[in-house]
Amino acid sequence: MAIITKLDAAHRQLTTAIRLYFNDDDLAAIHTLACAAREIYEKHCKAQGLDRMFEKIESANPDRTRKQLWDIINGPRNFLKHPEIDFDLTAAIELDDEANATMIFVACHDCAALHSMAQS
């Protein structure tokens, strides 16, 4: 048995995603872990008023709404996490290293923001 804090959970998920990524391991597992960590970091940054990567993504995409951006960011994660409305088990998604690298980068950015705040 172990006691795991939210921050520890996010760190474990992110470090595992990074390790899997550099070992050319399972794309779905990498994406799922990176996105789980990203969500914890992102929401805690938002709650503490810290600059999140999402603000940078939003400012770089003024032609898209917040909802559209979140749908793009969370689309693959949601596909891997939830069943289809029609319960189609043959539904498919294309994942690649670039999508995983992006999610790892976003999670690392927000993780660093939290750590910078904690050390201030």
Side-chain angles (χ1 to χ4, degrees), residues 1-5 8 12:
M1 185 167 97
I3 296 173
I4 301 172
T5 66
D8 188 41
R12 288 171 182 235

Side-chain angles (χ1 to χ4, degrees), residues 80-91:
L80 296 170
K81 186 176 167 184
H82 302 291
E84 296 298 305
I85 292 171
D86 62 359
F87 297 100
D88 178 5
L89 287 173
T90 64

Side-chain angles (χ1 to χ4, degrees), residues 53-120:
M53 179 55 76
F54 183 77
E55 277 80 33
K56 294 172 183 13
I57 293 168
E58 189 174 37
S59 68
N61 293 279
D63 56 322
R64 297 187 188 258
T65 66
R66 289 180 139 251
K67 181 176 178 351
Q68 288 173 325
L69 292 172
W70 280 119
D71 287 347
I72 291 167
I73 291 168
N74 289 327
R77 177 198 76 156
N78 290 341
F79 179 88
L80 296 170
K81 186 176 167 184
H82 302 291
E84 296 298 305
I85 292 171
D86 62 359
F87 297 100
D88 178 5
L89 287 173
T90 64
I93 189 170
E94 186 174 331
L95 286 176
D96 58 28
D97 281 338
E98 184 177 334
N100 286 340
T102 300
M103 285 301 104
I104 289 170
F105 180 79
V106 172
C108 286
H109 175 279
D110 291 353
C111 174
L114 283 173
H115 277 286
S116 293
M117 187 274 314
Q119 293 177 346
S120 297

